[in-house]
């Protein structure tokens, strides 16, 4: 994968598509798959750039069309799974007018990361069940000021994980719409009642609202 995108559009897309991975729920997760829960899936094709993220509570997908208006330049299509917060941190410190270059470099041999999930048997002995998450390469990030290809603002690399265990929701499945509402009205309605909910509840009962 090799793509160039304006910093403003990259930031906007990352915040929207990475909302689940950037949430407090995801960032405080310490399960065996926390590495993936805190990550986004970034995909680029000839038609669009898509960012997805998800937890056990929410899945988000945001797409931007590849056209003259978006200004996205695709040299090589592809997809990667990378840590969301580290990606966001890099984009946040770049100059407003920067062009962000993304280049995936594949490892010659994937590195396996073993994460143990301890299970206790009836006899009290602990048996470890290992879940494998593989690092398959790095996503190289380069920030350059628009109009000056020789001036580099920043460079960074992010580990890329295999997509095998990254959950994907099919938004194309037929569904029955229950209602439609203007976004601003929905926010106003929620703000009128969510103050009464708990900030966090383990069973997700008292931190929820009924619609």
């Amino acid at each position: 994968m090799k793509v160039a995108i304006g910093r403003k559009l990259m930031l906007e897309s990352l915040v929207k598509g990475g909302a689940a991975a950037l949430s407090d729920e995801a960032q405080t997760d310490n399960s065996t798959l926390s590495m993936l829960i805190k990550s986004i899936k970034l995909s680029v094709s000839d038609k669009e750039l898509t960012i997805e993220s998800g937890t056990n509570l929410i899945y988000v997908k945001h797409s931007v069309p590849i056209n003259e208006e978006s200004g996205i330049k695709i040299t090589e299509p592809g997809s990667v799974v990378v840590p969301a917060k580290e990606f966001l941190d890099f984009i946040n410190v770049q100059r407003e007018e920067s062009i962000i270059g993304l280049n995936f470099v594949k490892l010659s041999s994937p590195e396996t990361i073993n994460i143990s999930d301890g299970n206790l048997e009836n006899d009290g002995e602990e048996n470890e069940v290992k879940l494998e998450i593989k690092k398959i390469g790095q996503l190289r990030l380069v920030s350059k000021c628009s109009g000056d290809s020789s001036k580099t603002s920043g460079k960074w690399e992010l580990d890329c994980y295999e997509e095998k265990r990254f959950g994907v929701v099919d938004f194309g499945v037929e569904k029955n719409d229950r209602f439609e509402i203007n976004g601003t009205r929905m926010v106003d309605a929620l703000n009128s009642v969510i103050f009464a909910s708990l900030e966090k509840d383990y069973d997700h009962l008292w931190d929820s609202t009924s619609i």
Side-chain angles (χ1 to χ4, degrees), residues 45-151:
S45 66
D46 295 334
K47 295 182 179 180
E48 61 183 14
L49 177 147
T50 301
I51 294 180
E52 304 171 71
S53 63
T55 68
N56 64 328
L57 295 178
I58 182 175
Y59 195 88
V60 184
K61 181 178 181 179
H62 177 71
S63 298
V64 179
I66 306 296
N67 52 34
E68 187 175 345
E69 184 179 350
S70 68
I72 302 173
K73 305 296 182 184
I74 304 296
T75 303
E76 183 180 328
S79 61
V80 293
V81 174
V82 294
K85 187 177 184 303
E86 288 79 356
F87 197 161
L88 181 63
D89 288 344
F90 175 82
I91 300 301
N92 271 330
V93 298
Q94 304 312 310
R95 297 183 182 183
E96 184 69 28
E97 70 275 15
S98 297
I99 301 297
I100 308 298
L102 312 174
N103 184 23
F104 171 63
V105 180
K106 188 177 182 179
L107 290 177
S108 56
S109 179
E111 297 178 7
T112 299
I113 303 171
N114 291 324
I115 302 178
S116 301
D117 182 13
N119 292 319
L120 290 175
E121 300 291 348
N122 293 332
D123 58 7
E125 294 183 2
E126 184 174 343
N127 292 329
E128 292 189 343
V129 178
K130 291 183 181 293
L131 294 176
E132 291 187 346
I133 298 177
K134 294 183 179 179
K135 183 174 75 173
I136 61 173
Q138 286 86 33
L139 181 65
R140 293 180 179 174
L141 309 175
V142 178
S143 172
K144 293 185 178 181
C145 294
S146 180
D148 186 357
S149 60
S150 64
K151 190 173 183 180

Side-chain angles (χ1 to χ4, degrees), residues 20 23 25-26 37 53-60 200-205 207-208:
S23 67
E25 186 77 21
I37 292 173
S53 63
T55 68
N56 64 328
L57 295 178
I58 182 175
Y59 195 88
V60 184
K200 190 170 184 178
D201 174 42
Y202 180 79
D203 293 320
H204 297 297
L205 295 175
D207 59 0
S208 302

